[in-house]
Amino acid sequence: MCFHFLEATGVNREDLAGVHISWAEAAEFLNQLPVWEISVVRDTCYRTFPMDPVHSQTDGPEDLEDEEGPTAPPIGMLDQVTGYEGTVAGGGGNYICPPTYPSDKREQAQPQLEWRIPSITEDAAREALMQFATAHCCYSRSPARNMVFQDLTPFNMYRYRLETFTESRLTEWTHVPFTGQSVDNSACGTPPLPWDITIEVPPMFQDFTKKVPVPHTAAAKRCHKCKGRGKYRCSQCAGKGKLKCLSCGGRGLSHGNKRCIQCGGSGSKRCGPCLGRGTRSCHVCKTSGQLLFYIQLTIKWTNNIFEQVADQQIGLPVTLFSNVTGQNVFTDENYQVYPIISFPDTLIDHISHQGVQEHRDKFGRTMCILQQRQTIELIPVTKVQVQWKGQEHSYFVYGTESNVHAPDYPGKCHCNIL
């Protein structure tokens, strides 16, 4: 008979694969192994998990005194690590404030701003309106084609944008099934503090998350879910492996005193969750019976954005600007930027001061600010005055995409499409 003994203690996989032995020889070989649970499936012998030495490998449902333990590890299982007091398990994490260092950054002079007011021609304004009418199935293109232009008025519409690239760190206890891997515990060294762990910074102004184990915080412990057994008694059937047949109510007979076809007259059916075994494999430790606990450090890099358009109240809703682009007229990038001063549009000075102060208050203490960037974008806007059939009309052309805002376009047919 052919057995493939896998992962046996002290024996290489290659030495056991394809070994032809008898059942008696197999039993003698298994008895010489440490306390492992062994399962034979299709003539293949697997070591599935190391057992708790207090229990024998013949533990059945009746030997399991309790059902499964808690899903989250009890606080008493977690070691006390200096510098990581208050770190818990179960998600959420514990945010760690960055250390404060004296800053030698000084306010720098504002660079000279250079910009020009973009303008469009009558042909460009007419073409934009023609495309606007074409995009609406019930708009006639005749007004756009034949209207007479009266005036084109350009406006300076500015969009201010502040990006603050931050790094935050949080810690939490986590665990993985212990399968004999090396344990980096406190005997290997003193655990470094969260902000003393060197992590390579990703490209600036891009969101990114990285998780790393904190060195020297690992420890192997018995699984809290199965209490080191690798399995626990099934709560559905109370370890019996069978459930009362719902079709016949456990009588074994259906209507007309005929044998129940669902349970074959036995009055019970095999328990689905445990497949009739009375026990369920522990999904926390993956049947290993042990867990490797360690503190996990999660580093989050976030690009926080403050953006606002200087609304000059010209009749064009500023919400429309979120779908268009403009011409960048100013960029300032540094570890820490300062509010813009003496900009031709004083609204930008106010918005810049508001954005910089808001980000300092929001991120200055709880996160580490790595870099800031502020930009001013000039969005071209032109108000077009036209005449059509003796009546005055107006519309806006805005953005480098030449989008049109014409709520009172005269060529609407006012039809209803059902």
Side-chain angles (χ1 to χ4, degrees), residues 16 34 38 56 82 103-104 115 121 164 185 196 216 226 239 249 278-279 285 296 307 312 388 395 401 408:
L16 292 178
I38 306 297
S56 70
T82 303
S103 175
D104 58 354
W115 68 92
T121 63
T164 300
N185 55 25
D196 291 340
H216 318 318
C226 64
T279 60
C285 64
Q296 179 175 264
E307 186 175 275
Q312 298 185 7
W388 167 250
Y395 65 94
E401 298 83 358
D408 300 324

Side-chain angles (χ1 to χ4, degrees), residues 223-244:
C223 177
H224 55 275
K225 182 72 172 178
C226 64
K227 300 182 180 179
R229 300 171 183 264
K231 58 185 177 181
Y232 49 83
R233 186 169 60 182
C234 178
S235 59
Q236 289 290 104
C237 63
K240 297 178 181 179
K242 294 182 179 181
L243 296 172
K244 183 173 69 174

Side-chain angles (χ1 to χ4, degrees), residues 1-5 23 26-27 30 37-48:
M1 183 170 292
C2 176
F3 288 89
H4 304 279
F5 290 91
W23 279 101
L30 297 178
E37 181 178 284
I38 306 297
S39 60
V40 178
V41 180
R42 295 185 181 179
D43 292 345
T44 302
C45 184
Y46 296 92
R47 182 203 73 179
T48 56

Side-chain angles (χ1 to χ4, degrees), residues 95-230:
Y95 276 93
I96 308 298
C97 293
T100 57
Y101 302 104
S103 175
D104 58 354
K105 304 292 181 180
R106 296 182 179 180
E107 186 168 352
Q108 300 178 356
Q110 296 292 324
Q112 182 66 34
L113 305 179
E114 297 182 2
W115 68 92
R116 61 184 179 84
I117 302 176
S119 59
I120 61 174
T121 63
E122 290 187 5
D123 290 341
R126 188 186 302 276
E127 177 62 25
L129 192 61
M130 287 283 290
Q131 295 182 8
F132 171 79
T134 303
H136 295 75
C137 64
C138 297
Y139 284 21
S140 170
R141 288 185 294 176
S142 179
R145 186 183 300 111
N146 301 314
M147 61 178 48
V148 178
F149 286 88
Q150 301 294 317
D151 188 29
L152 284 81
T153 307
F155 291 92
N156 287 346
M157 295 292 289
Y158 297 101
R159 175 163 53 203
Y160 174 82
R161 179 184 177 96
L162 172 65
E163 298 172 87
T164 300
F165 188 57
T166 60
E167 177 182 330
S168 62
R169 299 193 175 194
L170 60 90
T171 59
E172 63 178 333
W173 280 100
T174 189
H175 54 75
V176 295
F178 179 65
T179 56
Q181 62 266 46
S182 61
V183 180
D184 182 15
N185 55 25
S186 57
C188 301
T190 302
L193 295 176
W195 286 96
D196 291 340
I197 300 175
T198 303
I199 303 293
E200 183 179 358
V201 179
M204 293 289 180
F205 307 108
Q206 296 182 22
D207 291 350
F208 192 74
T209 300
K210 186 173 185 178
K211 297 182 178 182
V212 297
V214 176
H216 318 318
T217 61
K221 297 178 180 291
R222 190 179 71 167
C223 177
H224 55 275
K225 182 72 172 178
C226 64
K227 300 182 180 179
R229 300 171 183 264

